[in-house]
Amino acid sequence: GAGVSQSPSNKVTEKGKDVELRCDPISGHTALYWYRQRLGQGLEFLIYFQGNSAPDKSGLPSDRFSAERTGESVSTLTIQRTQQEDSAVYLCASSRGGVVRAYEQYFGPGTRLTVT
Amino acid sequence: GENVEQHPSTLSVQEGDSAVIKCTYSDSASNYFPWYKQELGKRPQLIIDIRSNVGEKKDQRIAVTLNKTAKHFSLHITETQPEDSAVYFCAAMNSGGSNYKLTFGKGTLLTVNP
């Protein structure tokens, strides 16, 4: 079946503008994660959704970052008033979740965000 | 919260040699330890994982060992090939709770020289 998809693949925006990044997880996956990966760096956890539970927002770097998920499907990561340090690849991942003890995370191709 | 340290940050080996990457974790309740491989410009992909009820797991040229007492786990790649060149990330999770969040190490850039 289809894997995790993300859009857009690339986004160039001016400093101060808002951006929305979209993630379509694998169908049936209850868990969805957002990560930020700066050039040559590791995976920085941002936020995690699990079913109908309250999301784990502990990784969001500031109140300019927010995310929503509609049920167990699409998620949107919003960055308001973008700054140059927001430039990075934003990766989304999904997994079947803990109910079936299936923890493997399947990553999307990422959105490369460049703030000029 | 969990903290995962990964070493070395870069590793260069000759084709055919073995490569070992080590990780330590801080939360003794963590019980699931995956390794992800990320080739240049591509997305991370799971290559092997281990749960805390076993000490070692092997899949062809790749093996992972876990020492729960010392809270460290390692990735072993034998007979390395140029296509093994990538960034490798270790991670840890406590699957006993209701939060299935992975904490990743900072990654190891492995270069296999032909």
Side-chain angles (χ1 to χ4, degrees):
Chain A
V4 178
S5 61
Q6 292 186 245
S7 60
S9 56
N10 281 284
K11 176 72 176 178
V12 180
T13 190
E14 292 181 352
K15 177 181 174 180
K17 295 287 180 68
D18 298 351
V19 295
E20 281 191 355
L21 312 180
R22 177 187 170 108
C23 173
D24 285 86
I26 294 172
S27 178
H29 280 197
T30 62
L32 186 147
Y33 311 79
W34 282 98
Y35 297 92
R36 178 169 70 179
Q37 187 172 36
R38 293 196 168 106
L39 187 63
Q41 302 298 310
L43 298 165
E44 179 185 0
F45 168 78
L46 297 178
I47 189 169
Y48 155 57
F49 297 89
Q50 172 65 54
N52 295 319
S53 302
D56 179 343
K57 303 179 181 181
S58 60
L60 294 178
S62 76
D63 58 8
R64 296 188 295 106
F65 288 73
S66 63
E68 294 184 347
R69 187 181 186 193
T70 306
E72 293 187 350
S73 61
V74 172
S75 176
T76 302
L77 177 69
T78 301
I79 308 173
Q80 295 178 311
R81 306 180 301 283
T82 51
Q83 304 294 312
Q84 288 187 331
E85 62 262 29
D86 298 334
S87 295
V89 174
Y90 290 81
L91 288 163
C92 174
S94 70
S95 72
R96 291 175 62 194
V99 176
V100 292
R101 298 186 74 231
Y103 310 127
E104 177 178 357
Q105 293 188 16
Y106 295 82
F107 284 82
T111 293
R112 181 175 299 278
L113 175 66
T114 303
V115 182
T116 61
Chain B
E2 175 67 276
N3 182 51
V4 176
E5 300 284 341
Q6 183 171 348
H7 300 279
S9 56
T10 61
L11 179 60
S12 181
V13 299
Q14 289 298 121
E15 183 177 358
D17 288 350
S18 295
V20 180
I21 303 170
K22 300 181 179 181
C23 289
T24 61
Y25 60 98
S26 61
D27 186 355
S28 57
S30 288
N31 57 3
Y32 173 68
F33 307 94
W35 287 87
Y36 283 78
K37 175 183 180 183
Q38 186 176 30
E39 297 177 16
L40 185 63
K42 297 189 176 181
R43 69 192 80 182
Q45 290 190 304
L46 179 73
I47 55 170
I48 195 168
D49 57 13
I50 191 169
R51 298 174 195 252
S52 60
N53 56 346
V54 297
E56 183 174 3
K57 183 176 179 181
K58 191 172 181 180
D59 182 4
Q60 298 183 346
R61 297 186 296 107
I62 294 173
V64 57
T65 59
L66 171 65
N67 183 326
K68 288 178 59 180
T69 303
K71 290 191 285 188
H72 69 69
F73 56 112
S74 300
L75 177 70
H76 304 254
I77 306 174
T78 58
E79 301 172 18
T80 53
Q81 302 168 2
E83 52 264 39
D84 294 329
S85 296
V87 177
Y88 292 80
F89 294 98
C90 64
M93 180 177 76
N94 173 9
S95 67
S98 59
N99 187 326
Y100 305 108
K101 181 178 76 177
L102 287 172
T103 301
F104 284 91
K106 293 190 181 301
T108 296
L109 174 61
L110 173 64
T111 303
V112 179
N113 302 301

